[in-house]
Amino acid sequence: MGAVGYQPRATEGTVLHRVVRENFESFLAEVAARSDGGGLPQFVEREFREFLTCGALARGFARVRCGDCAYERLVPFSCKRRGFCASCGGRRMAELAAHLVDAVLPHVPVRQWVLTLPYRLRYLLAYNHGLCRAVLAVHVRAVLGFYRRRARRRGVRDGRGGAVTVIQRFGGGLRLNVHFHSLLLDGVFAEGADGRLAFHPAEPPSDEDVARLLATIRRRVQRLLARRGVAVEDAVEFDPLAEESPALAGITSASVQGRVALGPRAGARILQLGREPDAPWVTSRGPCQAHLEGFDLHANITVGADDRAGLERLSRYVLRPPVAQDRIELTPEGRVLVALKTEWADGTTHLLFEPVEFLEKLAALTPRPRINLVLYYGILAPHAQARARAVAYDPAEPAGVGPSAPAQQPGADPPRPAPEPSVVSTPEVSPDESRTGGTEKPRRWAWADLMRRVFDLDVLACPRCGGRMSVIATIEARDVIRTILGHLGLPTEPPAPLPPRPPPRALDLFPDNPA
């Protein structure tokens, strides 16, 4: 179904790839000039260079062949980066959302709690992951405590809630905006007299509840920062990021403020199109939302216990990548036009960037390597004793959560039907092999299974005869790659950045000589 229309992705033909390839060296030259040759941290530069090879056959590929008619297709490897690659971010979003729905979040109501932070705090958390996790822990513990106290007032003792939190680094218009999307079980689990685990749903929070909870979170965060000697309101005497990389510190600060750090417009605000200059900035004060001195808490989105499709859509939303390729285009003058997903309160619909300005925004969104951006709390934490029973909880099958249920290790997932054999799949492993000391490791979804689940595409159906295709080899050796691609008349080297170009002429929005 739909396999005839499927074609392997071609990242090299996208606007994002073109802008990065044509302007990356110019961007590096501008950064070096602004930082006295300091340059960017290695992990940021590597993010750009690896992105240029994403989906390039010269990087490596899998050979997929039909067993009936011998039709063959080459499926390129991805870059697997976590910064701004829309393709890899889309796969990661779909894969982890499927894992959360199938193997983590039980069949109970789920409410999304979103905490937004003041500008100065966003800058401090952007590359200080330890401080970021500490602030996040304050937020999640406050909300879990809120659910526990409400359950206690209804006579439910020892109630335990759970949460999955995604640390998002981006906001509207490619701004660096570190904030937290938490999917919390909308209630608590507690053991009954018979030892069985039962879920007790919570009543929806009122606007006053959200406001009081936000005030508590703000007070606790301020106490945390004071204990650590971090001043948010005043300029700090020592900035670790500026000491490590002055260039990245400047780019990060400008991104948080919605300003430009490099090029002829350095220090100016990002160009906004569709904006009404005299329109007042209106801050939403919707239901279950509170705003206090830069802190904002929103809790008005819920998903029912039986709405698994809606839960997967919400999970994909909180896990989405920062850049949507279909909202990026080039103007005839070579500038980058980014369409906003929704119109801003002041009427802004698009943002206009010089190519170097655009790349500096992408650089600011790149996280440090080897940090966790998805975290589990409460009864869903990897080492929680009742995690296996909570994950397997289904009110339609109460017998599966009592003492008669098969024993599992702490943190183990419930059994799931084995997927069909498919392309570029990591072999399935047993729960015992996939965990050390109860720490959860999500199973890798196969490429074809994800395509079928997300797009309803059977990519293993042969477009020529309708037979079944399968992987016959994965090619990673450089000499073999060159031989095969040379025989097919395809490029044998991955795309490389083009040489730097002279800086563009500054955009004149108000020419002296009208046409």
Side-chain angles (χ1 to χ4, degrees):
M1 176 179 180
V4 176
Y6 168 75
Q7 290 294 330
R9 57 196 173 88
T11 304
E12 191 172 351
T14 63
V15 173
L16 180 59
H17 189 280
R18 177 182 170 185
V19 172
V20 173
R21 188 183 184 198
E22 293 180 354
N23 299 279
F24 180 57
E25 293 294 346
S26 300
F27 170 60
L28 289 182
E30 181 69 26
V31 170
R34 290 273 176 175
S35 59
D36 296 327
L40 292 172
Q42 190 176 27
F43 75 89
V44 177
E45 185 172 342
R46 184 168 58 247
E47 190 83 21
F48 282 95
R49 296 194 185 279
E50 290 289 320
F51 166 74
L52 291 178
T53 68
C54 187
L57 291 171
R59 179 191 181 97
F61 51 84
R63 293 179 61 188
V64 188
R65 178 181 291 174
C66 175
D68 297 331
C69 69
Y71 173 81
E72 190 167 319
R73 166 180 285 158
L74 304 183
V75 180
F77 295 154
S78 63
C79 67
K80 297 182 176 63
R81 309 309 297 180
R82 299 197 302 165
F84 51 83
C85 180
S87 178
C88 294
R91 178 193 168 120
R92 191 175 293 107
M93 169 193 71
E95 184 176 44
L96 188 50
H99 172 74
L100 292 178
V101 172
D102 291 351
V104 177
L105 295 171
H107 288 253
V108 301
V110 172
R111 182 177 296 272
Q112 178 187 220
W113 294 76
V114 182
L115 177 66
T116 307
L117 305 167
Y119 288 149
R120 178 60 182 167
L121 190 52
R122 298 176 195 176
Y123 172 81
L124 295 175
L125 302 187
Y127 292 100
N128 187 339
H129 192 58
L131 182 60
C132 183
R133 290 189 60 161
V135 172
L136 170 58
V138 168
H139 158 57
V140 175
R141 288 169 184 164
V143 182
L144 289 177
F146 167 75
Y147 277 109
R148 192 164 51 250
R149 289 190 300 274
R150 300 188 81 190
R152 191 181 301 121
R153 287 197 293 267
R154 301 199 316 269
V156 179
R157 298 293 179 182
D158 299 323
R160 287 168 286 177
V164 179
T165 295
V166 178
I167 302 175
Q168 276 195 5
R169 293 176 53 83
F170 59 91
L174 297 181
R175 282 190 182 187
L176 177 61
N177 179 7
V178 178
H179 61 292
F180 310 127
H181 285 255
S182 299
L183 301 182
L184 278 101
L185 309 183
D186 206 17
V188 297
F189 278 102
E191 288 188 356
D194 57 357
R196 296 184 182 274
L197 201 64
F199 184 76
H200 302 269
E203 297 179 356
S206 66
D207 295 349
E208 292 75 14
D209 291 332
V210 176
R212 284 194 295 269
L213 191 54
L214 178 62
T216 300
I217 293 172
R218 173 181 170 275
R219 184 174 63 254
R220 293 180 181 177
V221 168
Q222 289 178 332
R223 286 207 303 258
L224 168 70
L225 298 176
R227 287 197 304 270
R228 299 201 175 195
V230 178
V232 177
E233 294 81 5
D234 304 325
V236 294
E237 296 181 0
F238 176 70
D239 185 347
L241 181 58
E243 289 290 323
E244 176 186 351
S245 173
L248 184 59
I251 288 173
T252 300
S253 178
S255 181
V256 169
Q257 301 174 63
R259 295 185 179 274
V260 178
L262 304 174
R265 298 188 60 254
R269 297 199 66 84
I270 294 172
L271 294 175
Q272 301 175 213
L273 304 184
R275 182 185 184 194
E276 301 174 21
D278 298 327
W281 188 271
V282 180
T283 302
S284 173
R285 293 292 190 272
C288 289
Q289 181 179 8
H291 185 91
L292 178 62
E293 297 181 2
F295 289 84
D296 189 280
L297 186 64
H298 186 274
N300 197 42
I301 296 179
T302 58
V303 177
D306 297 326
D307 188 5
R308 306 305 283 181
L311 181 59
E312 189 160 355
R313 286 194 299 271
L314 179 59
S315 299
R316 290 177 189 165
Y317 169 74
V318 303
L319 292 162
R320 69 194 186 280
V323 180
Q325 300 202 80
D326 57 351
R327 295 209 296 270
I328 304 173
E329 59 181 284
L330 287 175
T331 67
E333 298 82 17
R335 297 180 175 90
V336 183
L337 187 66
V338 178
L340 300 178
K341 184 178 180 180
T342 56
E343 181 179 317
W344 285 354
D346 64 353
T348 301
T349 58
H350 294 76
L351 301 177
L352 188 64
F353 299 91
E354 294 290 350
V356 169
E357 298 172 6
F358 181 72
L359 295 193
E360 76 173 59
K361 301 308 173 190
L362 299 183
L365 299 180
T366 303
R368 289 190 187 276
R370 296 177 295 278
I371 62 171
N372 293 326
L373 298 178
V374 181
L375 301 166
Y376 302 81
Y377 292 90
I379 203 169
L380 298 182
H383 294 279
Q385 291 185 353
R387 182 187 185 280
R389 290 193 293 158
V391 166
Y393 179 81
D394 188 342
E397 301 177 3
V401 298
S404 61
Q408 288 181 310
Q409 291 185 357
D413 294 333
R416 191 180 70 190
E420 299 178 11
S422 50
V423 175
V424 198
S425 174
T426 301
E428 292 289 324
V429 295
S430 67
D432 291 341
E433 296 170 337
S434 66
R435 291 166 178 83
T436 302
T439 301
E440 177 189 5
K441 288 185 179 180
R443 293 186 179 93
R444 289 280 296 171
W445 272 72
W447 160 71
D449 297 325
L450 276 179
M451 295 292 287
R452 185 183 300 113
R453 178 164 182 149
V454 178
F455 300 109
D456 197 23
L457 283 176
D458 185 3
V459 296
L460 294 182
C462 177
R464 180 185 293 172
C465 71
R468 301 305 297 166
M469 304 179 72
S470 60
V471 174
I472 61 172
T474 55
I475 311 299
E476 300 180 70
R478 295 296 306 154
D479 55 343
V480 179
I481 291 174
R482 291 191 183 97
T483 300
I484 294 176
L485 296 183
H487 175 73
L488 297 175
L490 298 174
T492 59
E493 296 295 333
L498 299 182
R501 298 183 297 178
R505 179 177 58 86
L507 177 62
D508 188 0
L509 297 178
F510 305 99
D512 295 332
N513 300 319

